[in-house]
Amino acid sequence: MTVKIFDTPQVQDFLNTVAGFDQAGGSERAKRIVHRLLADLYRLIDDFDVTPEEFWATIGLMNELGKGSQFGLLAPGLGFDHYLDMRMDAEDEARGLAGGTPRTIEGPLYVAGAPVAEGITRMDDGSDSDSEVMWLTGQVRDTDGRPVAGARVEIWHANAKGGYSHFDPSQSEYNLRRTIITDAEGRYRARSIIPSGYGVPEGSPTDRVLKALGRHGQRPAHIHYFISAPGHKHLTTQINLAGDPYTWDDFAFATREELLVEGRPIDDAAEAEARGLEGPFTEVVFDIELSRTEAPELQSRHKRPRALEQAAD
Ligand code: BEZ
Ligand code: FE
């Protein structure tokens, strides 16, 4: 039987009590946010006639998500990371800070403390001889086109099976994760391997949520970046390697037209030798434009839980 009780004085008074409105202590902001959240959920229970079985199944699912540290994985799937990006884009626009290379989501798979190199590095540990060699390079410039020397370019990406070191125990420590400091011309160069797209683990609580929505948990092949330099706005972004079937069907909603990069296959011994490589390779070029800012809080990445962040910082 359908009943509607949300708008009754008893329920409204109860909500005020639950949110601590009649208590002197605590945080006003926390009380107002929890009140709003609970009100929306109580109303939803009324409107959809949610049964006790459905409610407790959801609590069980949330416990599983928490046990597996999967909320950071589900959040982008439910569009929260992209929504926060849309809000930050709008804030930049309002502050007159728009321009430069666009941001896109960080994702939950960054690991702090990767080895640091000056100008050039190798990112893969050499154990994957079947993968396509990637030469990843670019120049960091400001929005007036001036090269930014000494910029910190942190790069991380998956291997050819879509796995990330640290989270995938079969890979060596910091495999496919490096920080490169740009040279006098603002350039960075890295030898690595072409990544594949990531997929949410089959049967995981996140996968079950996505399946209930008729969705998949696949991402296209991509490479993550954090770029920072004094006097410039910190940039969190990714590039997508063009031609992936999931380019415009990313479960994490991170693809942006400006961040699509076409790899250039090169099979020329002289070109390979010029880069210290032996055989054919694919060159991926990603130039980055940073906006200038003097605001210190905009020059570093925002805080969030990240693997090994405390240990490394
Ligand atoms: C990733 O960057 O690979 C990623 C992003 C969001 C959810 C899961 C993975
Ligand atoms: Fe990723």
Side-chain angles (χ1 to χ4, degrees):
M1 192 175 68
T2 303
V3 293
K4 294 273 180 238
I5 62 166
F6 180 76
D7 288 318
T8 60
Q10 293 93 314
V11 171
Q12 294 305 310
D13 287 350
F14 181 54
L15 261 174
N16 290 343
T17 305
V18 174
F21 281 173
D22 55 359
Q23 300 298 316
S27 142
E28 272 314 303
R29 183 169 166 79
K31 290 179 190 190
R32 286 178 44 223
I33 290 176
V34 168
H35 180 270
R36 166 65 175 274
L37 180 67
L38 295 180
D40 287 352
L41 291 173
Y42 282 22
R43 187 195 293 280
L44 177 156
I45 291 173
D46 234 19
D47 288 351
F48 286 85
D49 210 4
V50 171
T51 65
E53 287 76 12
E54 287 172 322
F55 178 81
W56 291 112
T58 306
I59 294 291
L61 178 66
M62 290 203 290
N63 278 337
E64 281 186 65
L65 283 161
K67 253 185 267 161
S69 301
Q70 292 223 338
F71 276 108
L73 188 58
L74 180 62
L78 295 183
F80 284 104
D81 302 36
H82 184 59
Y83 182 60
L84 293 179
D85 278 352
M86 290 161 86
R87 284 183 44 81
M88 287 188 279
D89 285 353
E91 280 166 12
D92 283 351
E93 191 80 42
R95 280 197 188 106
L97 276 177
T101 302
R103 62 164 58 81
T104 193
I105 75 163
E106 174 180 333
L109 303 172
Y110 171 79
V111 178
V116 181
E118 297 288 332
I120 186 164
T121 192
R122 180 169 180 174
M123 296 181 64
D124 65 299
D125 63 9
S127 63
D128 187 355
S129 49
D130 293 339
S131 289
E132 212 177 318
V133 174
M134 172 169 76
W135 185 253
L136 178 63
T137 183
Q139 189 184 33
V140 181
R141 298 186 283 262
D142 66 16
T143 43
D144 294 321
R146 286 179 301 232
V148 182
R152 205 180 153 83
V153 181
E154 290 194 65
I155 307 175
W156 69 104
H157 65 81
N159 67 7
K161 294 185 185 130
Y164 283 82
S165 63
H166 182 86
F167 303 96
D168 165 11
S170 77
Q171 293 187 48
S172 62
E173 196 183 29
Y174 291 116
N175 191 34
L176 312 176
R177 300 177 185 275
R178 289 293 182 276
T179 296
I180 310 172
I181 309 298
T182 56
D183 68 11
E185 292 175 346
R187 295 191 190 280
Y188 68 94
R189 297 172 180 84
R191 173 183 176 158
S192 197
I193 54 171
I194 293 281
S196 290
Y198 170 91
V200 167
E202 214 33 62
S204 63
T206 301
D207 182 50
R208 279 163 36 213
V209 174
L210 293 169
K211 290 232 165 73
L213 303 177
R215 293 179 46 200
H216 63 72
Q218 300 300 315
R219 298 211 59 210
H222 60 277
I223 300 167
H224 296 265
Y225 284 77
F226 280 152
I227 308 108
S228 59
H232 298 79
K233 202 170 68 159
H234 178 274
L235 178 65
T236 299
T237 197
Q238 301 178 25
I239 52 173
N240 280 101
L241 302 181
D244 191 298
Y246 289 105
T247 299
W248 294 109
D249 190 18
D250 178 2
F251 101 95
F253 307 103
T255 309
R256 295 183 79 146
E257 191 75 55
E258 308 91 312
L259 300 173
L260 268 177
V261 176
E262 188 101 38
R264 186 169 69 104
I266 300 177
D267 189 0
D268 177 294
E271 291 243 37
E273 203 185 323
R275 292 165 181 79
L277 306 175
E278 298 85 40
F281 64 98
T282 295
E283 183 166 72
V284 175
V285 179
F286 180 48
D287 295 331
I288 297 144
E289 261 191 24
L290 296 182
S291 300
R292 292 197 60 84
T293 178
E294 290 311 319
E297 71 278 11
L298 298 180
Q299 294 183 23
S300 51
R301 59 189 182 230
H302 58 253
K303 289 195 174 66
R304 64 173 276 175
R306 294 184 176 96
L308 306 185
E309 180 119 276
Q310 277 78 9
D313 283 12

PDB file of all heavy atoms in Angstrom, residues 171-194:
ATOM      1  N   GLN A 171      52.461  -5.728 -11.489  1.00  0.00           N
ATOM      2  CA  GLN A 171      53.391  -4.730 -12.047  1.00  0.00           C
ATOM      3  C   GLN A 171      54.384  -4.252 -10.990  1.00  0.00           C
ATOM      4  O   GLN A 171      54.076  -4.249  -9.798  1.00  0.00           O
ATOM      5  CB  GLN A 171      52.623  -3.517 -12.572  1.00  0.00           C
ATOM      6  CG  GLN A 171      51.752  -3.828 -13.777  1.00  0.00           C
ATOM      7  CD  GLN A 171      51.134  -2.571 -14.366  1.00  0.00           C
ATOM      8  OE1 GLN A 171      51.801  -1.574 -14.588  1.00  0.00           O
ATOM      9  NE2 GLN A 171      49.837  -2.624 -14.614  1.00  0.00           N
ATOM     10  N   SER A 172      55.550  -3.806 -11.472  1.00  0.00           N
ATOM     11  CA  SER A 172      56.568  -3.321 -10.530  1.00  0.00           C
ATOM     12  C   SER A 172      56.165  -1.948  -9.981  1.00  0.00           C
ATOM     13  O   SER A 172      55.321  -1.260 -10.561  1.00  0.00           O
ATOM     14  CB  SER A 172      57.927  -3.227 -11.235  1.00  0.00           C
ATOM     15  OG  SER A 172      57.851  -2.291 -12.293  1.00  0.00           O
ATOM     16  N   GLU A 173      56.812  -1.594  -8.874  1.00  0.00           N
ATOM     17  CA  GLU A 173      56.499  -0.330  -8.195  1.00  0.00           C
ATOM     18  C   GLU A 173      56.703   0.848  -9.164  1.00  0.00           C
ATOM     19  O   GLU A 173      57.742   0.941  -9.823  1.00  0.00           O
ATOM     20  CB  GLU A 173      57.461  -0.197  -7.000  1.00  0.00           C
ATOM     21  CG  GLU A 173      57.027   0.821  -6.009  1.00  0.00           C
ATOM     22  CD  GLU A 173      58.062   0.965  -4.880  1.00  0.00           C
ATOM     23  OE1 GLU A 173      59.266   0.746  -5.110  1.00  0.00           O
ATOM     24  OE2 GLU A 173      57.653   1.320  -3.774  1.00  0.00           O
ATOM     25  N   TYR A 174      55.747   1.720  -9.235  1.00  0.00           N
ATOM     26  CA  TYR A 174      55.805   2.940 -10.071  1.00  0.00           C
ATOM     27  C   TYR A 174      55.986   2.661 -11.562  1.00  0.00           C
ATOM     28  O   TYR A 174      56.381   3.548 -12.301  1.00  0.00           O
ATOM     29  CB  TYR A 174      56.881   3.911  -9.560  1.00  0.00           C
ATOM     30  CG  TYR A 174      56.517   4.523  -8.230  1.00  0.00           C
ATOM     31  CD1 TYR A 174      57.270   4.272  -7.088  1.00  0.00           C
ATOM     32  CD2 TYR A 174      55.399   5.344  -8.121  1.00  0.00           C
ATOM     33  CE1 TYR A 174      56.913   4.824  -5.857  1.00  0.00           C
ATOM     34  CE2 TYR A 174      55.036   5.891  -6.890  1.00  0.00           C
ATOM     35  CZ  TYR A 174      55.804   5.626  -5.774  1.00  0.00           C
ATOM     36  OH  TYR A 174      55.442   6.178  -4.566  1.00  0.00           O
ATOM     37  N   ASN A 175      55.677   1.423 -11.997  1.00  0.00           N
ATOM     38  CA  ASN A 175      55.691   1.192 -13.443  1.00  0.00           C
ATOM     39  C   ASN A 175      54.685   2.135 -14.095  1.00  0.00           C
ATOM     40  O   ASN A 175      53.553   2.291 -13.629  1.00  0.00           O
ATOM     41  CB  ASN A 175      55.309  -0.269 -13.727  1.00  0.00           C
ATOM     42  CG  ASN A 175      55.566  -0.669 -15.172  1.00  0.00           C
ATOM     43  OD1 ASN A 175      56.520  -0.195 -15.792  1.00  0.00           O
ATOM     44  ND2 ASN A 175      54.726  -1.539 -15.711  1.00  0.00           N
ATOM     45  N   LEU A 176      55.077   2.801 -15.171  1.00  0.00           N
ATOM     46  CA  LEU A 176      54.210   3.689 -15.959  1.00  0.00           C
ATOM     47  C   LEU A 176      53.745   4.911 -15.161  1.00  0.00           C
ATOM     48  O   LEU A 176      52.650   5.459 -15.405  1.00  0.00           O
ATOM     49  CB  LEU A 176      53.012   2.904 -16.532  1.00  0.00           C
ATOM     50  CG  LEU A 176      53.402   1.583 -17.220  1.00  0.00           C
ATOM     51  CD1 LEU A 176      52.175   0.825 -17.680  1.00  0.00           C
ATOM     52  CD2 LEU A 176      54.348   1.835 -18.386  1.00  0.00           C
ATOM     53  N   ARG A 177      54.591   5.322 -14.215  1.00  0.00           N
ATOM     54  CA  ARG A 177      54.328   6.540 -13.419  1.00  0.00           C
ATOM     55  C   ARG A 177      55.643   7.297 -13.293  1.00  0.00           C
ATOM     56  O   ARG A 177      56.633   6.757 -12.771  1.00  0.00           O
ATOM     57  CB  ARG A 177      53.856   6.181 -12.002  1.00  0.00           C
ATOM     58  CG  ARG A 177      52.579   5.366 -11.952  1.00  0.00           C
ATOM     59  CD  ARG A 177      52.237   5.014 -10.512  1.00  0.00           C
ATOM     60  NE  ARG A 177      51.075   4.135 -10.474  1.00  0.00           N
ATOM     61  CZ  ARG A 177      49.817   4.552 -10.496  1.00  0.00           C
ATOM     62  NH1 ARG A 177      49.550   5.851 -10.535  1.00  0.00           N
ATOM     63  NH2 ARG A 177      48.825   3.689 -10.469  1.00  0.00           N
ATOM     64  N   ARG A 178      55.658   8.535 -13.733  1.00  0.00           N
ATOM     65  CA  ARG A 178      56.864   9.361 -13.624  1.00  0.00           C
ATOM     66  C   ARG A 178      56.502  10.823 -13.470  1.00  0.00           C
ATOM     67  O   ARG A 178      55.434  11.264 -13.900  1.00  0.00           O
ATOM     68  CB  ARG A 178      57.744   9.243 -14.883  1.00  0.00           C
ATOM     69  CG  ARG A 178      58.460   7.909 -15.069  1.00  0.00           C
ATOM     70  CD  ARG A 178      59.512   7.654 -14.014  1.00  0.00           C
ATOM     71  NE  ARG A 178      60.212   6.401 -14.225  1.00  0.00           N
ATOM     72  CZ  ARG A 178      59.793   5.197 -13.814  1.00  0.00           C
ATOM     73  NH1 ARG A 178      58.645   5.067 -13.171  1.00  0.00           N
ATOM     74  NH2 ARG A 178      60.517   4.113 -14.053  1.00  0.00           N
ATOM     75  N   THR A 179      57.440  11.584 -12.896  1.00  0.00           N
ATOM     76  CA  THR A 179      57.360  13.048 -12.884  1.00  0.00           C
ATOM     77  C   THR A 179      58.538  13.552 -13.709  1.00  0.00           C
ATOM     78  O   THR A 179      59.677  13.132 -13.476  1.00  0.00           O
ATOM     79  CB  THR A 179      57.450  13.589 -11.446  1.00  0.00           C
ATOM     80  OG1 THR A 179      56.309  13.130 -10.722  1.00  0.00           O
ATOM     81  CG2 THR A 179      57.499  15.107 -11.425  1.00  0.00           C
ATOM     82  N   ILE A 180      58.256  14.431 -14.667  1.00  0.00           N
ATOM     83  CA  ILE A 180      59.321  14.975 -15.512  1.00  0.00           C
ATOM     84  C   ILE A 180      59.339  16.497 -15.327  1.00  0.00           C
ATOM     85  O   ILE A 180      58.280  17.145 -15.388  1.00  0.00           O
ATOM     86  CB  ILE A 180      59.083  14.647 -17.008  1.00  0.00           C
ATOM     87  CG1 ILE A 180      58.796  13.148 -17.177  1.00  0.00           C
ATOM     88  CG2 ILE A 180      60.291  15.064 -17.845  1.00  0.00           C
ATOM     89  CD1 ILE A 180      58.360  12.759 -18.580  1.00  0.00           C
ATOM     90  N   ILE A 181      60.524  17.026 -15.096  1.00  0.00           N
ATOM     91  CA  ILE A 181      60.686  18.482 -14.977  1.00  0.00           C
ATOM     92  C   ILE A 181      61.052  18.998 -16.370  1.00  0.00           C
ATOM     93  O   ILE A 181      62.022  18.504 -16.982  1.00  0.00           O
ATOM     94  CB  ILE A 181      61.791  18.849 -13.959  1.00  0.00           C
ATOM     95  CG1 ILE A 181      61.577  18.114 -12.609  1.00  0.00           C
ATOM     96  CG2 ILE A 181      61.893  20.362 -13.783  1.00  0.00           C
ATOM     97  CD1 ILE A 181      60.292  18.444 -11.891  1.00  0.00           C
ATOM     98  N   THR A 182      60.291  19.967 -16.883  1.00  0.00           N
ATOM     99  CA  THR A 182      60.526  20.412 -18.267  1.00  0.00           C
ATOM    100  C   THR A 182      61.887  21.099 -18.403  1.00  0.00           C
ATOM    101  O   THR A 182      62.376  21.751 -17.473  1.00  0.00           O
ATOM    102  CB  THR A 182      59.421  21.369 -18.756  1.00  0.00           C
ATOM    103  OG1 THR A 182      59.328  22.476 -17.854  1.00  0.00           O
ATOM    104  CG2 THR A 182      58.077  20.668 -18.857  1.00  0.00           C
ATOM    105  N   ASP A 183      62.475  20.966 -19.613  1.00  0.00           N
ATOM    106  CA  ASP A 183      63.796  21.552 -19.875  1.00  0.00           C
ATOM    107  C   ASP A 183      63.684  23.058 -20.153  1.00  0.00           C
ATOM    108  O   ASP A 183      62.592  23.639 -20.015  1.00  0.00           O
ATOM    109  CB  ASP A 183      64.485  20.777 -21.020  1.00  0.00           C
ATOM    110  CG  ASP A 183      63.812  20.974 -22.367  1.00  0.00           C
ATOM    111  OD1 ASP A 183      62.941  21.863 -22.490  1.00  0.00           O
ATOM    112  OD2 ASP A 183      64.149  20.218 -23.311  1.00  0.00           O
ATOM    113  N   ALA A 184      64.771  23.667 -20.599  1.00  0.00           N
ATOM    114  CA  ALA A 184      64.807  25.124 -20.784  1.00  0.00           C
ATOM    115  C   ALA A 184      63.779  25.582 -21.816  1.00  0.00           C
ATOM    116  O   ALA A 184      63.321  26.727 -21.780  1.00  0.00           O
ATOM    117  CB  ALA A 184      66.213  25.548 -21.208  1.00  0.00           C
ATOM    118  N   GLU A 185      63.394  24.682 -22.733  1.00  0.00           N
ATOM    119  CA  GLU A 185      62.373  25.047 -23.743  1.00  0.00           C
ATOM    120  C   GLU A 185      60.973  24.602 -23.332  1.00  0.00           C
ATOM    121  O   GLU A 185      60.041  24.607 -24.141  1.00  0.00           O
ATOM    122  CB  GLU A 185      62.708  24.374 -25.080  1.00  0.00           C
ATOM    123  CG  GLU A 185      63.955  24.922 -25.726  1.00  0.00           C
ATOM    124  CD  GLU A 185      64.303  24.140 -26.991  1.00  0.00           C
ATOM    125  OE1 GLU A 185      63.743  23.042 -27.214  1.00  0.00           O
ATOM    126  OE2 GLU A 185      65.149  24.642 -27.730  1.00  0.00           O
ATOM    127  N   GLY A 186      60.818  24.172 -22.081  1.00  0.00           N
ATOM    128  CA  GLY A 186      59.501  23.740 -21.601  1.00  0.00           C
ATOM    129  C   GLY A 186      59.118  22.347 -22.071  1.00  0.00           C
ATOM    130  O   GLY A 186      57.967  21.947 -21.958  1.00  0.00           O
ATOM    131  N   ARG A 187      60.116  21.579 -22.581  1.00  0.00           N
ATOM    132  CA  ARG A 187      59.760  20.276 -23.175  1.00  0.00           C
ATOM    133  C   ARG A 187      59.923  19.123 -22.188  1.00  0.00           C
ATOM    134  O   ARG A 187      60.777  19.168 -21.304  1.00  0.00           O
ATOM    135  CB  ARG A 187      60.646  19.990 -24.398  1.00  0.00           C
ATOM    136  CG  ARG A 187      60.399  20.963 -25.515  1.00  0.00           C
ATOM    137  CD  ARG A 187      61.072  20.554 -26.823  1.00  0.00           C
ATOM    138  NE  ARG A 187      60.972  21.667 -27.759  1.00  0.00           N
ATOM    139  CZ  ARG A 187      59.885  21.945 -28.460  1.00  0.00           C
ATOM    140  NH1 ARG A 187      58.814  21.177 -28.359  1.00  0.00           N
ATOM    141  NH2 ARG A 187      59.851  22.994 -29.274  1.00  0.00           N
ATOM    142  N   TYR A 188      59.100  18.093 -22.400  1.00  0.00           N
ATOM    143  CA  TYR A 188      59.240  16.827 -21.669  1.00  0.00           C
ATOM    144  C   TYR A 188      59.222  15.704 -22.692  1.00  0.00           C
ATOM    145  O   TYR A 188      58.602  15.836 -23.764  1.00  0.00           O
ATOM    146  CB  TYR A 188      58.104  16.643 -20.640  1.00  0.00           C
ATOM    147  CG  TYR A 188      56.749  16.434 -21.259  1.00  0.00           C
ATOM    148  CD1 TYR A 188      56.256  15.146 -21.489  1.00  0.00           C
ATOM    149  CD2 TYR A 188      55.956  17.514 -21.652  1.00  0.00           C
ATOM    150  CE1 TYR A 188      55.016  14.946 -22.082  1.00  0.00           C
ATOM    151  CE2 TYR A 188      54.716  17.318 -22.246  1.00  0.00           C
ATOM    152  CZ  TYR A 188      54.257  16.039 -22.458  1.00  0.00           C
ATOM    153  OH  TYR A 188      53.031  15.831 -23.056  1.00  0.00           O
ATOM    154  N   ARG A 189      59.915  14.618 -22.381  1.00  0.00           N
ATOM    155  CA  ARG A 189      59.979  13.480 -23.297  1.00  0.00           C
ATOM    156  C   ARG A 189      59.972  12.195 -22.470  1.00  0.00           C
ATOM    157  O   ARG A 189      60.679  12.118 -21.455  1.00  0.00           O
ATOM    158  CB  ARG A 189      61.287  13.487 -24.104  1.00  0.00           C
ATOM    159  CG  ARG A 189      61.460  14.679 -25.009  1.00  0.00           C
ATOM    160  CD  ARG A 189      62.859  14.699 -25.612  1.00  0.00           C
ATOM    161  NE  ARG A 189      63.036  15.850 -26.492  1.00  0.00           N
ATOM    162  CZ  ARG A 189      63.372  17.065 -26.088  1.00  0.00           C
ATOM    163  NH1 ARG A 189      63.592  17.312 -24.806  1.00  0.00           N
ATOM    164  NH2 ARG A 189      63.506  18.044 -26.966  1.00  0.00           N
ATOM    165  N   ALA A 190      59.197  11.209 -22.933  1.00  0.00           N
ATOM    166  CA  ALA A 190      59.178   9.933 -22.203  1.00  0.00           C
ATOM    167  C   ALA A 190      59.029   8.765 -23.165  1.00  0.00           C
ATOM    168  O   ALA A 190      58.228   8.811 -24.104  1.00  0.00           O
ATOM    169  CB  ALA A 190      58.028   9.910 -21.208  1.00  0.00           C
ATOM    170  N   ARG A 191      59.814   7.744 -22.900  1.00  0.00           N
ATOM    171  CA  ARG A 191      59.580   6.459 -23.565  1.00  0.00           C
ATOM    172  C   ARG A 191      58.613   5.671 -22.683  1.00  0.00           C
ATOM    173  O   ARG A 191      58.779   5.609 -21.460  1.00  0.00           O
ATOM    174  CB  ARG A 191      60.895   5.687 -23.694  1.00  0.00           C
ATOM    175  CG  ARG A 191      60.653   4.295 -24.222  1.00  0.00           C
ATOM    176  CD  ARG A 191      61.905   3.465 -24.292  1.00  0.00           C
ATOM    177  NE  ARG A 191      61.527   2.120 -24.715  1.00  0.00           N
ATOM    178  CZ  ARG A 191      62.345   1.261 -25.271  1.00  0.00           C
ATOM    179  NH1 ARG A 191      63.618   1.581 -25.467  1.00  0.00           N
ATOM    180  NH2 ARG A 191      61.928   0.070 -25.629  1.00  0.00           N
ATOM    181  N   SER A 192      57.615   5.059 -23.309  1.00  0.00           N
ATOM    182  CA  SER A 192      56.700   4.224 -22.528  1.00  0.00           C
ATOM    183  C   SER A 192      56.064   3.188 -23.449  1.00  0.00           C
ATOM    184  O   SER A 192      56.624   2.887 -24.514  1.00  0.00           O
ATOM    185  CB  SER A 192      55.646   5.103 -21.836  1.00  0.00           C
ATOM    186  OG  SER A 192      55.031   4.368 -20.800  1.00  0.00           O
ATOM    187  N   ILE A 193      54.928   2.643 -23.042  1.00  0.00           N
ATOM    188  CA  ILE A 193      54.202   1.701 -23.911  1.00  0.00           C
ATOM    189  C   ILE A 193      52.778   2.230 -24.092  1.00  0.00           C
ATOM    190  O   ILE A 193      52.256   2.924 -23.218  1.00  0.00           O
ATOM    191  CB  ILE A 193      54.174   0.275 -23.318  1.00  0.00           C
ATOM    192  CG1 ILE A 193      53.614   0.273 -21.892  1.00  0.00           C
ATOM    193  CG2 ILE A 193      55.558  -0.359 -23.370  1.00  0.00           C
ATOM    194  CD1 ILE A 193      53.355  -1.109 -21.322  1.00  0.00           C
ATOM    195  N   ILE A 194      52.177   1.911 -25.230  1.00  0.00           N
ATOM    196  CA  ILE A 194      50.810   2.373 -25.507  1.00  0.00           C
ATOM    197  C   ILE A 194      49.850   1.691 -24.510  1.00  0.00           C
ATOM    198  O   ILE A 194      49.833   0.467 -24.405  1.00  0.00           O
ATOM    199  CB  ILE A 194      50.410   2.025 -26.964  1.00  0.00           C
ATOM    200  CG1 ILE A 194      51.254   2.835 -27.951  1.00  0.00           C
ATOM    201  CG2 ILE A 194      48.921   2.200 -27.192  1.00  0.00           C
ATOM    202  CD1 ILE A 194      50.820   4.290 -28.154  1.00  0.00           C
TER     203      ILE A 194
END
